[in-house]
Amino acid sequence: MIFSSDNWAGAHPSIAAGLSARASGFDPAYGNGDLDRAVARRFNEIFEREVAVFFVGTGTAANALSLVSADKPGGLSFCHRESHLIEDECGAPEYFMGGSRLFGVDGSLGRIDPGALASAVGRFAGDNVHAGRPAAVSITQATEIGTVYSIEQIRDIAAVAREHALPLHMDGARFANALVSLGATPAEMTWKSGVDMLSFGGTKNGCWCAEAVIHFDTARAKEFGFIRKRAAQLFSKSRFIAAQFSAYFQDDLWLETARHANAMADRLAGHIRHSGAMRLAWEPQANEVFAIMPPVHAQALQDKGARFYDWLTPHGFDGVATGEKLWRFVTSFATTQDEVDRFGDLIG
Amino acid sequence: MIFSSDNWAGAHPSIAAGLSARASGFDPAYGNGDLDRAVARRFNEIFEREVAVFFVGTGTAANALSLVSADKPGGLSFCHRESHLIEDECGAPEYFMGGSRLFGVDGSLGRIDPGALASAVGRFAGDNVHAGRPAAVSITQATEIGTVYSIEQIRDIAAVAREHALPLHMDGARFANALVSLGATPAEMTWKSGVDMLSFGGTKNGCWCAEAVIHFDTARAKEFGFIRKRAAQLFSKSRFIAAQFSAYFQDDLWLETARHANAMADRLAGHIRHSGAMRLAWEPQANEVFAIMPPVHAQALQDKGARFYDWLTPHGFDGVATGEKLWRFVTSFATTQDEVDRFGDLIG
Amino acid sequence: MIFSSDNWAGAHPSIAAGLSARASGFDPAYGNGDLDRAVARRFNEIFEREVAVFFVGTGTAANALSLVSADKPGGLSFCHRESHLIEDECGAPEYFMGGSRLFGVDGSLGRIDPGALASAVGRFAGDNVHAGRPAAVSITQATEIGTVYSIEQIRDIAAVAREHALPLHMDGARFANALVSLGATPAEMTWKSGVDMLSFGGTKNGCWCAEAVIHFDTARAKEFGFIRKRAAQLFSKSRFIAAQFSAYFQDDLWLETARHANAMADRLAGHIRHSGAMRLAWEPQANEVFAIMPPVHAQALQDKGARFYDWLTPHGFDGVATGEKLWRFVTSFATTQDEVDRFGDLIG
Amino acid sequence: MIFSSDNWAGAHPSIAAGLSARASGFDPAYGNGDLDRAVARRFNEIFEREVAVFFVGTGTAANALSLVSADKPGGLSFCHRESHLIEDECGAPEYFMGGSRLFGVDGSLGRIDPGALASAVGRFAGDNVHAGRPAAVSITQATEIGTVYSIEQIRDIAAVAREHALPLHMDGARFANALVSLGATPAEMTWKSGVDMLSFGGTKNGCWCAEAVIHFDTARAKEFGFIRKRAAQLFSKSRFIAAQFSAYFQDDLWLETARHANAMADRLAGHIRHSGAMRLAWEPQANEVFAIMPPVHAQALQDKGARFYDWLTPHGFDGVATGEKLWRFVTSFATTQDEVDRFGDLIG
């Protein structure tokens, strides 16, 4: 009953097998091999247009370097105030940008509110050198708290970004989970809705270590080779990432693993919904479930072998009263129906 | 006949198998799993003392972040003027240090000359705020041109570093190749000879992607967790690196692959020594062979299927006359005696 | 009736004269002249102990470089969410720190609330590499909205900082105004109350361009020469700053100019208090007065020659209702009683 | 007999008087005052076209921020290997650029050799992400060793820069000294010869503290307001710089002070030329004289009250034999014929 994080899982067997299958033979390094190119073409198919794909090693890198490529002196990047970018990157985005700032914007259930964004960006209109100036907007899909922006909601954010000529970045550490949740196509959820840069995450969804920055704006992509290398994210044996993505996309494995993780979250939420021991904080839309219960109950569950984390709520959440304690449960490709149901039995 | 680079090879079958064997099951993320800890203990054994080990994803990161952890405002890090740090990292060390400078020091055959180092460091004595001040010394073992520092030579460099209270870093992208070349122990080649920080490379020697920063000075290690995370080098599924290192050390695989690569380089050098078509630029000591021949000969070899790179000589080398062209041949765990001998036949 | 800012004034005649008096003759550059040393000793007297004084050119530099000298990888510096550091430096502190973050803390009337600070710092306890870690606390004295921390309030903040082993910085762009407002000594308002670093501002109080970073912790001061030079803040003809400070301290000119500015603010507040056209937003304690009135009234006053700025209230203030408009009036050494009274007549 | 540096002098009486004359009255801060604008127009006249002028506080800032405005990820800025940028800024250019590198180019007598530049830049052609890529070229006029580029020589450098689409920066810390030495116009010595950005120095030539970055490329200028503010170089009482420049340009004072300084250098060189105690290292062309003599002679002169510095020669100079000692003598607006002649008597 491991619901600690989707990154506590290892690699999906097909990913591991796909990687091993590519272990022998020689290939040009640094992304210039045949497999690298084949995977890049696969990304074009998936997104129904030519995109510029850059493999990197971590989601932190994908996010930080995306923002670097949109940054300017005195720049401000707008993201949700509870976003991973702000809360969990040790300041990596600001470090890689050389000091430009993240600006936290409010919005319920982990999604930036378009009005709040317009107002936040608007404060910095007019090229006031004292205040700094907007450089980018970043949304997380699925969000840090397991909700999902609808296509409409992405477009609303994009409209604000466009109005201020700001590129829109999507942190897709859980891109596949959001995608299958919406039933949308990758194109619809990104560039067709106004997204300019995407952190495409494979790690949490069954890969060992496979992340990519995708630029839909090719002008911006031109600089990115240097941005990535300078940031120590150009891998010599690049095919070890390419091989993972190759297996990831094979027979839509990535959609299947995401559907499974989401289904397990849904099943878990069902158990919680009928439990007297805890209650759902909000309805899950992807592979994360947040619930409210007293620490003593949580401790009892952990004593019985369940693993999950408490969730810090620095700003508070709608629906979580002061003093209430919030807990996060994450499912993945490796979560089994059996362990979900065993947990359900525990909270009966 | 692929002698382009040791990073054109994939993963050694045992590394691939070791990684696959760890694909299933749940493990705490970010380096807190049992396997991470077991591998850390293994490093202690290998180095015959307690060391602080931090996995990172690329050699660029290992080098750059090591220097970050020694840096200070106005800092200068001294390395060989032909070193990888200066020539091939796209400025990553300076970027991660936030602008501190690399200072190229001369020395024949890829090794820093201790006298030249003393003189270079000495220029910056006295805390002159205009000039900047020394922060670290970095040597490469094996060097960028396939030579190796003897234990004595490492100690000579360390003596200069110590005199100026500078930490000594070793770029060990080809650590194993140097180790077996010297027949030394890891302890002898590092901390026993005055090395404070080590970039321990596994990738070029048979791993997919396994690098580590090793701090022998535990005070310096205390900061490193933040330095690494801020630099986007903390991997969530850290065990994918741990599993590679685990297999790498199993039954001394790493020494065996290095010995093989060196032996292949030696054999290749033997062929070149007896060839009329080219001559050795200097005696190889690890897994890289440098030879001099006219471009037209090189082209002919490449036309026949040999792969190798020309080598830029911005500063020139002893034994390479102006106008002469230098070529690099790299061997690896995956190089076969057969392809070396086929190449030998070509150059007859 | 210029109440736009205290930096719209030029230089006090005694400062200008003092500077001119030092124009001729030769002096060692970069702060090594006799006058530089004499002024440094004067700072020792003023602070009743040995302090390390570093002249810089702007308040932005004084603040940013103070934080640099306290920073660490993954660092967070805590300041009031409405502070100049956050709102008006174009991200300079983060830029000079290479990406470390400012964390805005709440508190009424421009002062950090010690409880809110303890809670904010506490969130980052435990060396969690994802979250980052506290590096410094910065307070502004007088605050950005014209209020002043009492000695007791400074000590309360210092107690929180000490508990977490964080250095306490004071942004003293309006140091003298706060000092005479409290009737305290410079020592009492700084190191005797737990302040470790001070941005000592002279510019707003009658100098042309005279700012200094003062380190009470001499260990931290040791690095600062390099921090300053690297940041382009070491002035060759350093005596042009020294001469200003020399005149500034002569016969307590600095206290006199600050007292005058505060008295003018007080007189202005008196007029506003009795006016039907506007009301005081809060009681001024230094040389800034904030008042609430409709834009149409403000425009009418500006049409009659009064100069003052509206004040953005991104977070809102106690006592300012939604939709109400806040205006700032700043007085200085150059403000005359006559213009204050003429303004008083206007607002009758 | 103070020949230590032109920054050991104070301010020219007319500069001091001009500054004092502007001490009273109110003016918009941060460069928006009438005087700021008038001086900006004066720069247009001096350069015979519209230029974008940004006041900054130090030459270090002018140089570093110019390079920032031309930088790109993985960027390399090419300057003379003995340049002030490399030797005397404590790494400030790299710090402000966030890590981009300075690349030292060779050339006799302090001037970059166009062929060496072409070769250095050429090494980085082809967008190789490992090597980095050229971003800018910077020349110093007058050079760090008192020589001057002819108009032809500037054009030769500019041609190389243009060929590689690199902006050309001129470090004009001693701009006026070079200008009167050449008898050229400001336009001829800059944009008409291919210069895109200029560090225009006033401090060494009689101002207290007056430096400016001038952009001839207005597109590049658009970003510079943020670059400057973020770097803590936007002065609130900006008119204190404007007033200095106003006086500096009044009745061509700046050309007069530069002519005087150069004439004093020339006179000093004449004395040295006829002295048996020392010899000129090379012919001075501006306000710096370099001579060779044994340390014992130098000490004797210093004992008699002469002040001058030895000059480090890390790379050696043509005409200075190994073991010979080089000394620098700098003249300024404040140098008198009498002290030059007294020195002449000493070295008889």
Side-chain angles (χ1 to χ4, degrees):
Chain A
M1 296 178 295
I2 307 290
F3 306 115
S4 309
S5 178
D6 30 13
N7 56 34
W8 281 45
H12 188 279
S14 300
I15 302 285
L19 181 57
S20 283
R22 299 286 186 165
S24 64
F26 292 92
D27 240 355
Y30 300 117
N32 299 310
D34 288 345
L35 185 60
D36 299 304
R37 295 215 177 83
V39 170
R41 283 191 302 271
R42 191 77 186 86
F43 271 99
N44 291 344
E45 290 167 20
I46 286 168
F47 284 97
E48 302 172 40
R49 56 167 287 180
E50 184 149 339
V51 300
V53 182
F54 297 88
F55 303 153
V56 297
T58 61
T60 304
N63 286 337
L65 299 186
S66 294
L67 294 186
V68 167
S69 78
D71 195 32
K72 35 192 174 185
L76 295 153
S77 291
F78 296 81
C79 52
H80 193 274
R81 68 178 190 179
E82 303 275 356
S83 65
H84 198 82
L85 269 174
I86 286 186
E87 291 290 331
D88 282 288
E89 307 278 39
C90 194
E94 296 101 317
Y95 176 57
F96 282 100
M97 288 192 285
S100 290
R101 192 182 291 174
L102 300 182
F103 192 98
V105 181
D106 209 350
S108 67
L109 289 176
R111 302 182 201 98
I112 293 177
D113 177 75
L117 176 64
S119 154
V121 173
R123 262 185 69 191
F124 297 95
D127 268 13
N128 172 348
V129 295
H130 303 276
R133 58 183 167 169
V137 175
S138 178
I139 57 175
T140 314
Q141 177 79 323
T143 76
E144 195 67 2
I145 61 166
T147 56
V148 170
Y149 285 86
S150 70
I151 296 295
E152 199 60 36
Q153 287 169 328
I154 295 171
R155 290 185 175 167
D156 289 347
I157 297 293
V160 178
R162 280 291 171 280
E163 192 183 340
H164 295 270
L166 302 178
L168 177 57
H169 168 254
M170 176 180 280
D171 173 0
R174 294 188 178 94
F175 185 84
N177 302 94
L179 196 71
V180 300
S181 174
L182 288 183
T185 68
E188 285 166 357
M189 203 168 84
T190 57
W191 63 274
K192 286 186 173 175
S193 299
V195 172
D196 301 291
M197 304 178 284
L198 169 66
S199 297
F200 183 92
T203 307
K204 288 182 196 293
N205 192 33
C207 293
W208 272 125
C209 160
E211 305 284 319
V213 171
I214 296 178
H215 281 288
F216 300 109
D217 174 344
T218 48
R220 196 168 283 115
K222 272 178 51 186
E223 294 289 297
F224 203 78
F226 289 94
I227 288 173
R228 176 176 62 174
K229 173 62 188 173
R230 182 182 64 166
Q233 290 287 335
L234 177 60
F235 288 80
S236 56
K237 295 184 177 175
S238 171
R239 80 172 117 151
F240 100 90
I241 298 182
Q244 292 178 70
F245 275 133
S246 181
Y248 190 62
F249 294 138
Q250 184 71 34
D251 302 325
D252 287 343
L253 173 64
W254 67 305
L255 303 179
E256 181 193 307
T257 49
R259 274 190 204 104
H260 175 81
N262 288 9
M264 290 302 101
D266 199 50
R267 190 175 187 92
L268 183 65
H271 292 314
I272 292 173
R273 208 174 280 116
H274 299 102
S275 161
M278 58 176 86
R279 74 171 200 276
L280 285 178
W282 47 81
E283 288 302 314
Q285 296 181 278
N287 67 321
E288 297 186 293
V289 179
F290 288 77
I292 294 164
M293 71 180 137
V296 62
H297 287 198
Q299 189 57 56
L301 292 168
Q302 286 166 340
D303 290 346
K304 286 168 187 154
R307 290 286 169 273
F308 51 91
Y309 283 123
D310 61 335
W311 195 250
L312 282 175
T313 55
H315 303 285
F317 285 100
D318 294 339
V320 183
T322 306
E324 285 191 331
K325 194 83 191 142
L326 193 60
W327 309 87
R328 186 187 73 160
F329 302 80
V330 192
T331 57
S332 74
F333 76 92
T335 306
T336 63
Q337 186 169 316
D338 175 64
E339 58 183 343
V340 170
D341 290 348
R342 279 194 289 130
F343 184 80
D345 290 346
L346 279 186
I347 63 175
Chain B
M1 297 178 294
I2 306 289
F3 306 114
S4 309
S5 178
D6 32 11
N7 56 35
W8 281 45
H12 188 278
S14 301
I15 302 285
L19 180 56
S20 281
R22 300 286 187 166
S24 65
F26 293 93
D27 240 354
Y30 300 115
N32 299 311
D34 288 345
L35 185 60
D36 299 304
R37 295 214 177 82
V39 170
R41 283 192 302 272
R42 192 75 186 86
F43 271 98
N44 292 344
E45 291 167 21
I46 286 168
F47 284 96
E48 303 172 41
R49 56 168 286 182
E50 184 150 342
V51 300
V53 182
F54 297 87
F55 303 153
V56 296
T58 62
T60 305
N63 286 337
L65 300 186
S66 294
L67 294 186
V68 168
S69 79
D71 194 33
K72 35 191 174 184
L76 295 153
S77 292
F78 296 81
C79 52
H80 193 274
R81 67 178 189 179
E82 302 276 356
S83 64
H84 198 83
L85 269 173
I86 286 187
E87 292 291 330
D88 284 288
E89 307 279 38
C90 194
E94 298 101 316
Y95 176 56
F96 281 100
M97 288 191 285
S100 289
R101 191 182 293 174
L102 301 182
F103 192 99
V105 181
D106 210 349
S108 65
L109 290 176
R111 301 183 200 98
I112 292 177
D113 177 75
L117 177 64
S119 154
V121 174
R123 263 184 69 191
F124 298 94
D127 268 13
N128 172 348
V129 295
H130 302 276
R133 59 183 166 169
V137 176
S138 178
I139 56 176
T140 314
Q141 178 78 324
T143 75
E144 194 67 0
I145 60 166
T147 57
V148 170
Y149 286 85
S150 70
I151 297 295
E152 199 59 35
Q153 288 170 327
I154 296 172
R155 289 185 177 168
D156 288 347
I157 297 293
V160 178
R162 280 289 172 283
E163 192 184 339
H164 294 271
L166 302 179
L168 178 57
H169 168 254
M170 177 180 280
D171 172 357
R174 295 188 178 94
F175 185 82
N177 301 94
L179 195 71
V180 300
S181 173
L182 287 183
T185 67
E188 285 166 358
M189 204 169 82
T190 56
W191 63 273
K192 286 187 173 174
S193 297
V195 173
D196 301 291
M197 304 179 283
L198 170 66
S199 296
F200 183 92
T203 307
K204 289 183 196 292
N205 191 33
C207 293
W208 271 125
C209 160
E211 306 284 319
V213 172
I214 298 179
H215 281 288
F216 301 109
D217 174 344
T218 48
R220 197 166 284 114
K222 273 178 52 186
E223 294 289 300
F224 204 79
F226 288 94
I227 288 174
R228 178 176 59 173
K229 174 62 189 172
R230 182 182 63 166
Q233 290 287 337
L234 178 59
F235 288 80
S236 56
K237 294 183 177 175
S238 170
R239 81 170 116 150
F240 95 89
I241 298 182
Q244 291 178 71
F245 276 132
S246 181
Y248 189 63
F249 294 137
Q250 184 73 34
D251 302 325
D252 287 343
L253 172 64
W254 66 306
L255 302 179
E256 181 192 307
T257 50
R259 273 189 206 106
H260 175 81
N262 288 9
M264 290 301 100
D266 200 49
R267 189 174 188 92
L268 183 65
H271 292 314
I272 293 173
R273 208 174 282 117
H274 298 101
S275 161
M278 59 176 87
R279 73 172 201 275
L280 285 178
W282 47 82
E283 288 302 313
Q285 297 182 279
N287 66 321
E288 296 186 294
V289 179
F290 288 78
I292 294 165
M293 69 178 139
V296 62
H297 288 198
Q299 188 58 55
L301 293 168
Q302 286 167 340
D303 290 346
K304 287 170 185 152
R307 289 287 168 273
F308 51 91
Y309 281 125
D310 62 334
W311 194 249
L312 282 175
T313 54
H315 302 285
F317 285 100
D318 294 339
V320 182
T322 307
E324 286 191 330
K325 194 84 191 142
L326 193 59
W327 308 88
R328 187 187 72 160
F329 303 81
V330 192
T331 57
S332 75
F333 77 92
T335 306
T336 64
Q337 188 171 316
D338 175 62
E339 58 183 345
V340 170
D341 291 347
R342 279 194 288 130
F343 184 79
D345 292 345
L346 278 187
I347 63 174
Chain C
M1 295 179 295
I2 307 290
F3 306 115
S4 309
S5 178
D6 31 12
N7 56 35
W8 282 45
H12 188 278
S14 300
I15 302 284
L19 181 56
S20 282
R22 298 287 185 165
S24 63
F26 292 92
D27 239 355
Y30 299 116
N32 298 311
D34 288 345
L35 184 61
D36 299 303
R37 296 216 175 82
V39 169
R41 284 192 301 273
R42 191 76 186 84
F43 270 99
N44 291 346
E45 291 167 21
I46 286 168
F47 284 97
E48 303 172 40
R49 57 167 284 183
E50 184 149 341
V51 299
V53 182
F54 297 87
F55 302 153
V56 296
T58 62
T60 305
N63 285 339
L65 300 186
S66 294
L67 294 186
V68 167
S69 78
D71 194 33
K72 36 192 174 184
L76 295 153
S77 291
F78 296 81
C79 51
H80 193 274
R81 68 178 189 179
E82 303 273 357
S83 65
H84 197 84
L85 268 174
I86 287 187
E87 291 290 331
D88 283 288
E89 308 278 38
C90 193
E94 297 100 318
Y95 176 58
F96 281 100
M97 287 192 286
S100 289
R101 192 181 293 175
L102 300 182
F103 192 98
V105 182
D106 210 350
S108 65
L109 290 176
R111 302 182 199 98
I112 292 176
D113 177 74
L117 177 64
S119 155
V121 174
R123 263 184 69 190
F124 297 95
D127 267 11
N128 172 348
V129 296
H130 302 277
R133 59 183 166 168
V137 176
S138 177
I139 56 175
T140 313
Q141 179 76 326
T143 76
E144 195 67 0
I145 61 165
T147 56
V148 170
Y149 285 87
S150 70
I151 296 297
E152 199 60 36
Q153 287 169 328
I154 295 171
R155 289 183 176 168
D156 289 348
I157 296 293
V160 178
R162 280 291 172 280
E163 193 183 338
H164 295 271
L166 302 178
L168 178 57
H169 167 255
M170 176 180 281
D171 172 359
R174 294 189 178 93
F175 185 83
N177 302 94
L179 195 71
V180 300
S181 174
L182 288 183
T185 68
E188 286 166 357
M189 203 167 84
T190 57
W191 63 273
K192 287 187 172 173
S193 298
V195 173
D196 299 292
M197 303 178 283
L198 170 66
S199 296
F200 183 92
T203 307
K204 288 183 196 293
N205 191 34
C207 292
W208 273 123
C209 160
E211 306 284 318
V213 171
I214 296 178
H215 281 289
F216 301 108
D217 175 342
T218 48
R220 196 166 283 115
K222 272 179 49 187
E223 294 288 298
F224 204 79
F226 289 94
I227 289 174
R228 178 176 60 173
K229 173 62 189 174
R230 182 182 64 166
Q233 290 287 336
L234 178 58
F235 288 80
S236 56
K237 295 183 177 176
S238 172
R239 81 171 116 150
F240 99 89
I241 298 181
Q244 292 177 70
F245 276 133
S246 181
Y248 189 63
F249 294 138
Q250 184 71 35
D251 302 325
D252 286 344
L253 172 65
W254 67 305
L255 303 179
E256 182 193 306
T257 50
R259 275 190 204 104
H260 175 81
N262 288 9
M264 290 302 100
D266 199 51
R267 189 172 189 94
L268 184 65
H271 292 315
I272 293 172
R273 210 173 280 116
H274 299 101
S275 159
M278 60 175 86
R279 73 171 201 276
L280 285 177
W282 48 80
E283 289 300 314
Q285 295 181 281
N287 67 320
E288 297 187 293
V289 179
F290 288 77
I292 293 164
M293 68 179 140
V296 61
H297 287 199
Q299 188 58 56
L301 293 168
Q302 287 167 340
D303 289 347
K304 286 169 185 154
R307 290 286 168 275
F308 51 91
Y309 282 123
D310 62 335
W311 195 249
L312 282 176
T313 54
H315 302 286
F317 285 101
D318 294 339
V320 182
T322 306
E324 286 191 331
K325 194 83 190 142
L326 193 59
W327 308 87
R328 186 187 73 160
F329 302 81
V330 193
T331 56
S332 74
F333 77 91
T335 307
T336 63
Q337 187 170 317
D338 174 64
E339 59 183 344
V340 172
D341 290 349
R342 277 194 289 131
F343 184 79
D345 291 347
L346 279 186
I347 63 174
Chain D
M1 296 179 294
I2 306 291
F3 306 114
S4 308
S5 178
D6 32 12
N7 57 34
W8 281 45
H12 188 279
S14 301
I15 302 286
L19 181 55
S20 281
R22 299 286 185 164
S24 63
F26 292 91
D27 240 356
Y30 300 116
N32 299 310
D34 289 344
L35 185 60
D36 299 303
R37 295 214 176 83
V39 169
R41 284 191 302 271
R42 191 77 186 85
F43 271 98
N44 291 344
E45 290 167 21
I46 286 169
F47 284 96
E48 303 172 41
R49 58 168 283 182
E50 183 149 343
V51 299
V53 182
F54 296 86
F55 303 153
V56 297
T58 63
T60 305
N63 285 339
L65 300 185
S66 293
L67 294 186
V68 167
S69 78
D71 195 33
K72 33 192 175 185
L76 295 153
S77 292
F78 296 81
C79 51
H80 194 272
R81 68 179 190 179
E82 302 274 357
S83 65
H84 197 83
L85 269 173
I86 286 186
E87 291 289 330
D88 283 287
E89 309 278 38
C90 194
E94 297 101 318
Y95 176 56
F96 281 100
M97 287 191 285
S100 290
R101 192 182 291 175
L102 300 182
F103 192 98
V105 181
D106 209 349
S108 66
L109 290 176
R111 302 183 199 99
I112 293 177
D113 177 74
L117 177 64
S119 153
V121 173
R123 266 184 67 190
F124 298 94
D127 268 12
N128 171 347
V129 296
H130 303 276
R133 58 182 167 169
V137 175
S138 178
I139 56 175
T140 314
Q141 177 79 324
T143 76
E144 194 66 0
I145 61 165
T147 56
V148 170
Y149 286 86
S150 69
I151 296 297
E152 199 59 36
Q153 289 169 328
I154 296 171
R155 289 183 176 169
D156 288 347
I157 296 293
V160 178
R162 279 293 171 278
E163 193 183 340
H164 295 270
L166 302 178
L168 177 58
H169 169 254
M170 177 180 280
D171 173 358
R174 295 188 179 94
F175 185 83
N177 302 95
L179 195 71
V180 299
S181 173
L182 288 183
T185 66
E188 285 166 357
M189 203 169 84
T190 57
W191 63 274
K192 286 187 173 174
S193 298
V195 172
D196 300 291
M197 304 178 283
L198 169 67
S199 297
F200 184 92
T203 307
K204 288 184 197 293
N205 191 32
C207 293
W208 271 125
C209 160
E211 306 283 320
V213 171
I214 296 178
H215 281 289
F216 300 108
D217 175 343
T218 48
R220 196 167 283 115
K222 272 179 50 187
E223 293 289 297
F224 204 78
F226 288 94
I227 288 174
R228 178 176 61 174
K229 173 61 188 174
R230 181 182 67 165
Q233 290 286 336
L234 177 59
F235 288 80
S236 57
K237 295 182 176 176
S238 170
R239 80 169 117 152
F240 96 89
I241 298 182
Q244 291 178 72
F245 275 132
S246 181
Y248 189 62
F249 293 137
Q250 183 73 34
D251 302 325
D252 287 343
L253 172 64
W254 66 305
L255 303 179
E256 181 193 307
T257 50
R259 275 190 205 105
H260 175 81
N262 287 10
M264 290 301 101
D266 199 51
R267 189 174 188 94
L268 183 65
H271 291 314
I272 293 172
R273 211 173 280 117
H274 298 101
S275 160
M278 59 176 85
R279 73 170 201 277
L280 285 179
W282 48 79
E283 288 302 312
Q285 295 182 279
N287 66 321
E288 296 187 294
V289 179
F290 289 78
I292 294 164
M293 70 179 139
V296 61
H297 287 198
Q299 188 57 55
L301 292 170
Q302 287 167 338
D303 290 346
K304 286 170 186 151
R307 289 286 168 274
F308 52 91
Y309 281 124
D310 62 334
W311 194 250
L312 281 175
T313 55
H315 302 286
F317 286 100
D318 294 339
V320 182
T322 307
E324 285 192 330
K325 195 82 189 143
L326 193 59
W327 308 87
R328 187 188 71 161
F329 302 81
V330 193
T331 56
S332 75
F333 77 91
T335 306
T336 62
Q337 187 170 317
D338 174 63
E339 59 183 344
V340 170
D341 291 347
R342 277 194 289 131
F343 184 79
D345 292 345
L346 278 185
I347 64 175

